[in-house]
Amino acid sequence: AVLSRRLTALIGPPGTGKTYALARLVASLAQAHGDAGRPFRAFVTAVTHAAIDELHKRIEELMPKKGSAPFEVGRIHGKDMDAFFERAAARPAVACGTMFRLLGAKAAAFDLVVVDEASQMRLTEAMLAVHRLAAGGRLVLCGDDQQLGPILQGAYPAREECDASFDPTASAFAHVLRALPVGHPARPA
């Protein structure tokens, strides 16, 4: 499904294998591009460092143990995004870090952006990643549609009737689910 769509939503409650599925997806795509000698840039992110660390660990576990790895995977801290991609050179590369690692980074556009815990990410942060997608890039949002959305405190102006469907406090995941056609199994009632 990921290769045939620009946007894929992976939905499931805790313990259903979402992290494993994401790691397998990212590692498989990076491996396939590496084997074909084709460039590939992916960015894996989440709201929490714990979720990013877990996904990074799972992707590393899926890398081949023998010979040289067909792709690079790295946990990005501070301002080392550009240095990571320079070290990867022409090999496929998967960077794992917070959305804020994208600010100020000169790294090229991404072929794949994966957002884990998307139900907790505000739309404004998710747009940082969407902005960095390559022309034919793919966005994968993963989360639990029953999970509590981002908790925010603030005063918001009254909305006009024409934009009443937009909720600035809702998660990126919630906005995607609301955009699904009525009757779609993943659309909330």
Side-chain angles (χ1 to χ4, degrees):
V2 172
L3 296 178
S4 64
R5 296 188 174 103
R6 295 239 17 218
L7 172 65
T8 301
L10 179 59
I11 305 166
T16 55
K18 295 183 304 290
T19 301
Y20 174 79
L22 288 177
R24 179 65 86 184
L25 167 76
V26 172
S28 296
L29 286 172
Q31 170 97 36
H33 281 81
D35 291 347
R38 297 185 60 199
F40 179 75
R41 296 287 183 259
F43 183 64
V44 175
T45 190
V47 173
T48 66
H49 287 280
I52 296 167
D53 291 340
E54 182 64 23
L55 201 42
H56 173 249
K57 180 181 91 173
R58 296 280 182 99
I59 294 167
E60 280 190 324
E61 289 170 355
L62 293 169
M63 290 183 75
K65 304 297 182 224
K66 295 180 181 177
S68 65
F71 64 94
E72 287 283 328
V73 61
R75 179 64 167 94
I76 307 300
H77 296 282
K79 297 184 178 193
D80 59 353
M81 173 89 69
D82 295 322
F84 169 74
F85 284 112
E86 285 175 24
R87 280 192 311 275
R91 294 174 53 208
V94 178
C96 303
T98 64
M99 284 293 186
F100 300 104
R101 297 297 67 120
L102 295 174
L103 296 173
K106 297 176 183 120
F110 297 107
D111 302 299
L112 176 69
V113 172
V114 173
V115 180
D116 196 6
E117 294 184 344
S119 57
Q120 296 179 6
M121 185 171 289
R122 293 181 308 167
L123 187 59
T124 51
E125 282 95 13
M127 293 312 296
L128 289 171
V130 171
H131 177 70
R132 297 302 283 271
L133 276 173
R138 307 284 189 256
L139 175 64
V140 176
L141 299 178
C142 179
D144 179 352
D145 63 328
Q146 299 299 310
Q147 187 174 33
L148 182 65
I151 299 172
L152 307 171
Q153 181 177 352
Y156 297 95
R159 292 180 274 171
E160 299 286 329
E161 187 174 325
C162 64
D163 54 78
S165 65
F166 178 78
D167 181 358
T169 64
S171 70
F173 203 56
H175 284 285
V176 167
L177 293 178
R178 283 189 202 124
L180 294 172
V182 174
H184 190 282
R187 184 185 169 121

